[in-house]
Amino acid sequence: MEVSYGAPPESVQKKFALPVDSEHKAIEFRLFSVAAPHMRAFHLSWVSFFACFVSTFATPPLLPIIRDDLDLTATYIGNAGIAAVSGAIFARVAMGTACDLFGPRLASSALTLITALAVYCTAIANSPASFLLVRFFTGFSLATFVSTQFWMSSLFSSKVVGTANGVAGGCCRRVVGTPFLGG
């Protein structure tokens, strides 16, 4: 029986499209690349975050219609905004733990699937109370920011992780606009 303590043979070592360090973290950031696994995971991560971001911020522009349909008062609208922020804060704390336990890919996927139901329920909310609950649970989707940042830190070395985090987290705020959770 032969035991090897050194590096695995060349034929067993993983090959990456991007140059990597000793921890297999990419040392280059190529925005327009879809090279597996680093850049492919980067793009899937920010697209997932973007979809969740849009799902949370899709409601406020529709408030004039929703307000009339559900007879919402200014107090209900304000409380719904507070509920969305509260849901986001709660979920971000939980997402950090989920990323540590299950990894960012599974944690983000599970959260996206769970909050998809809340986004659907926005369309069928028929009372101020149901609207408030839907906004609370839709706010959970903003916790995908945590998994995105966690994932970038796992994929990229310290020399480029700031760029990866900035592009992944910053593009959503620039495309959608100023963060507004009202409603």
Side-chain angles (χ1 to χ4, degrees):
M1 180 168 133
E2 186 177 328
V3 177
S4 174
Y5 293 102
E10 185 67 30
S11 61
V12 182
Q13 288 182 349
K14 291 184 178 181
K15 302 291 181 188
F16 298 107
L18 296 178
V20 296
D21 63 10
S22 61
E23 296 177 326
H24 300 294
K25 292 183 177 184
I27 58 174
E28 290 181 11
F29 179 77
R30 299 179 188 160
L31 181 60
F32 299 107
S33 170
V34 289
H38 301 90
M39 294 311 298
R40 186 170 301 161
F42 166 79
H43 290 297
L44 291 173
S45 179
W46 78 257
V47 165
S48 170
F49 174 51
F50 181 75
C52 289
F53 194 88
V54 168
S55 72
T56 301
F57 294 107
T59 304
L62 299 173
L63 273 177
I65 296 166
I66 295 170
R67 180 184 58 227
D68 293 343
D69 287 348
L70 300 180
D71 295 323
L72 297 176
T73 64
T75 303
Y76 279 123
I77 292 171
N79 288 342
I82 292 168
V85 172
S86 300
I89 292 168
F90 168 76
R92 282 183 177 207
V93 172
M95 180 58 92
T97 304
C99 284
D100 288 336
L101 294 174
F102 307 110
R105 183 177 53 98
L106 292 176
S108 182
S109 300
L111 183 64
T112 302
L113 287 173
I114 290 166
T115 57
L117 179 62
V119 173
Y120 169 74
C121 287
T122 302
I124 61 172
N126 58 4
S127 70
S130 64
F131 181 68
L132 184 110
L133 284 173
V134 163
R135 292 297 292 151
F136 176 74
F137 290 114
T138 303
F140 282 19
S141 67
L142 291 179
T144 54
F145 177 80
V146 174
S147 60
T148 299
Q149 300 301 295
F150 187 100
W151 210 349
M152 295 306 102
S153 298
S154 301
L155 292 172
F156 296 96
S157 73
S158 60
K159 295 187 187 265
V160 294
V161 73
T163 303
N165 281 335
V167 173
C171 68
C172 295
R173 296 183 89 183
R174 296 296 169 234
V175 171
V176 175
T178 4
F180 171 67
L181 288 171

